[in-house]
Amino acid sequence: MHVAVLGAGYAGISLARKLERSLPSTVEVTVVDERSDHLVQHLVHRVVSHPSLAEELTIPIADLLGRADHRQSEVLDFDPDTGAVELVDGALDADLLAVSLGAQTAFYDLPGVHEHATPLKRVDHAEEIRADFETVNEHGGRVVVAGAGLSGIQIAGELAAMASDGVEIRLVERLDTVAPAFPEAFQRAVAEELDARGVHVETGRGVESADDEQLVFDDGDSVTYDQLIWTGGITGQDAAGGQRPEVRADLRLGDRAFAVGDAARVVDADGQPAPASAQTAVRQADVAATNLQRLAEHHRDGGGFEPRLERYRYTELGWLVSIGDGAVAQVGGQIVRGQAAKALKTTVGAGYLGSIGAIENASEYVWEKVGADGE
Ligand SMILES: Cc1cc2nc3c(=O)[nH]c(=O)nc-3n(C[C@H](O)[C@H](O)[C@H](O)COP(=O)(O)OP(=O)(O)OC[C@H]3O[C@@H](n4cnc5c(N)ncnc54)[C@H](O)[C@@H]3O)c2cc1C
C-alpha cells in the first residue's frame, strides 16, 4: 500500500510525521512538494525586517521526515477517487491521498493588481518587499497594503516599524474592520495597535483595479502608491483547479482522499467554517492521520463496511499577531499586548518548530528574536 501526502506545509508535515508512527512499516509514505524546504509561513513577514530569520524559517523537508520519502516535484493534477497523481516529471499511483497543497494568493482578476502588486506567501516575496521598501524609505512615499487579514496586518506593522519620516503605511480593507474573520475584541485591539504604530487604516474600501501609480476603489476613489502589497485573500492551487473545495468534518475529499489545511474550506463537526490558519492546519492533520490509518486498514482487510471516520471540531486556541515590534494576543476572552504578547508569539513560533522536530531552528529562532529585539 502507498499513501501520498501532497504538500509539505503545516498540514502535510504534521500529517506525514503522524503517519510514519501510526501506519505499519509495510505502508509506503511519499511526501510530494515542489520545494526542497518546509516554510514556517506564519512568520514570513518577519523576514522583511530581519532577513537572516529566513534560515530559521526554512527547513529541509527530508530532515523533518523519518521513513517517509520526499519527492521534490510539482503536482499538476490529482484524482481524489482513484489516488492517481500527475506530476510535472511523471506520475504517482497512490492507494490513498492527503491533499495539503495550501493556497495561493487570490487576485480575483482585478485589472492590474496581479501585475503591480507583490503578494506575501514565500520568502522570495518577503525579500522583494524589503528591496522595494528600501527605495521608498530612502526617497519617502506611500506603501499601500491591500487586505487586512493576518498577513496584511502583520506586514503593515512590520513596515511601519522600519519606516523613516516621510513614509506612510496605509492598510486598506474591503470589509468594515481589520481582521474581519476574528473575534471583535481582537479586531479592536489590533486596530488600536496599528493606529498606535502609525499605520493609516481605511476599512470599507473595495479595490477595483490598479495601474503603476494608483489603486482604484469600487466607489471611484483612488490612492496613489509607491509600493503596493496585495494580501487580499486566498484561492486554491492550480493543481486543484484553482479551487478550495468544501469538505465536511471527516475531511473526506473523495473515495481515496482527504483534504487538510488551506487547501480546503473545512466545515467542522458543529457546522462552522474553520479559518485558514496554521493552527487549524496542524489540528486537522491529526484527524486526517487517524482517518487515513482507518481507511488503510479497511483496504488491507479487503473492504466491506467503511470504517467510522473521526470528525474535526474547531476549537479556538486564541489568536496572536505581531505588529512591528509589538504584538496582540487573544487568549480565551483576554486580550494581551506588549511584552507578554511578544513573548507568546516567540514561544508559539519556537513551539511549532520544536513540534515538527526542528529543534535547532527553534533555538536559533528564539536566539535571533531575543538578540534582534534586544530583550
Ligand atoms: C504573512 C503571513 C502571516 C500569517 N500569520 C499567521 C498567524 O499569525 N497565525 C496563523 O495561524 N496563520 C497565519 N498565516 C496563515 C498560515 O501560514 C497558513 O494558514 C498555513 O501556512 C496553511 O498551512 P498549509 O499546510 O495548509 O499550507 P502551506 O503552509 O501553504 O503549505 C503548502 C505546501 O504545498 C506545497 N505546494 C503547493 N502547490 C504545490 C504543487 N502544485 N506541487 C507541489 N507542492 C505544492 C508548497 O510548496 C507548500 O510547502 C499567515 C500567512 C501569511 C502568508
Side-chain angles (χ1 to χ4, degrees), residues 6-290:
L6 309 182
Y10 294 79
I13 284 292
S14 307
L15 176 59
R17 287 170 59 87
K18 287 192 168 67
L19 293 177
E20 283 178 336
R21 291 193 296 269
S22 64
L23 291 177
S25 57
T26 48
V27 179
E28 204 183 328
V29 180
T30 303
V31 178
V32 184
D33 200 292
E34 60 194 352
R35 299 186 180 254
S36 56
D37 293 330
H38 168 76
L39 172 65
V40 182
Q41 193 185 88
H42 83 277
L43 295 170
V44 74
H45 54 280
R46 298 293 282 164
V47 172
V48 174
S49 55
H50 300 97
S52 58
L53 261 185
E55 245 176 77
E56 278 79 70
L57 302 184
T58 48
I59 308 136
I61 292 168
D63 290 1
L64 300 175
L65 300 175
R67 69 181 185 84
D69 272 339
H70 170 218
R71 177 155 176 187
Q72 189 175 351
S73 181
E74 185 188 353
V75 176
L76 297 181
D77 201 4
F78 58 85
D79 185 334
D81 292 322
T82 64
V85 182
E86 189 190 336
L87 301 172
V88 73
D89 56 357
L92 196 156
D93 273 321
D95 298 288
L96 294 172
L97 285 182
V99 179
S100 45
L101 292 166
Q104 59 178 324
T105 302
F107 292 96
Y108 310 105
D109 288 329
L110 294 167
V113 174
H114 196 172
E115 196 183 336
H116 296 291
T118 312
L120 178 57
K121 274 272 172 199
R122 321 279 335 167
V123 168
D124 49 339
H125 297 146
E127 287 168 349
E128 186 181 325
I129 289 171
R130 179 181 169 85
D132 291 347
F133 188 68
E134 275 172 3
T135 311
V136 177
N137 230 3
E138 203 181 317
H139 302 291
R142 177 183 293 133
V143 181
V144 176
V145 179
L150 291 174
S151 39
I153 290 164
Q154 296 185 103
I155 189 61
E158 211 64 31
L159 295 178
M162 298 164 70
S164 46
D165 285 348
V167 174
E168 180 194 299
I169 311 296
R170 193 177 290 209
L171 176 62
V172 300
E173 165 58 46
R174 181 175 61 88
L175 297 173
D176 292 340
T177 169
V178 294
F182 297 90
E184 245 181 79
F186 186 67
Q187 291 169 349
R188 265 198 309 277
V190 167
E192 283 167 17
E193 194 72 22
L194 285 165
D195 185 51
R197 291 176 181 273
V199 177
H200 180 101
V201 176
E202 283 184 29
T203 54
R205 285 296 212 180
V207 171
E208 194 170 87
S209 64
D211 61 24
D212 58 357
E213 289 182 339
Q214 60 176 357
L215 192 63
V216 180
F217 299 109
D218 52 13
D219 59 4
D221 217 351
S222 62
V223 60
T224 56
Y225 69 82
D226 299 282
Q227 181 175 2
L228 179 59
I229 297 166
W230 180 258
T231 48
I234 56 172
T235 189
Q237 301 287 9
D238 294 345
Q243 303 294 315
R244 297 174 64 225
E246 185 173 302
V247 294
R248 290 169 189 269
D250 60 9
L251 309 179
R252 191 90 183 245
L253 184 62
D255 287 349
R256 288 173 180 266
F258 294 90
V260 201
D262 284 7
R265 290 174 295 126
V266 177
V267 178
D268 85 344
D270 298 322
Q272 297 302 314
S277 74
Q279 55 167 284
T280 50
V282 170
R283 297 200 133 214
Q284 287 164 9
D286 282 341
V287 175
T290 304

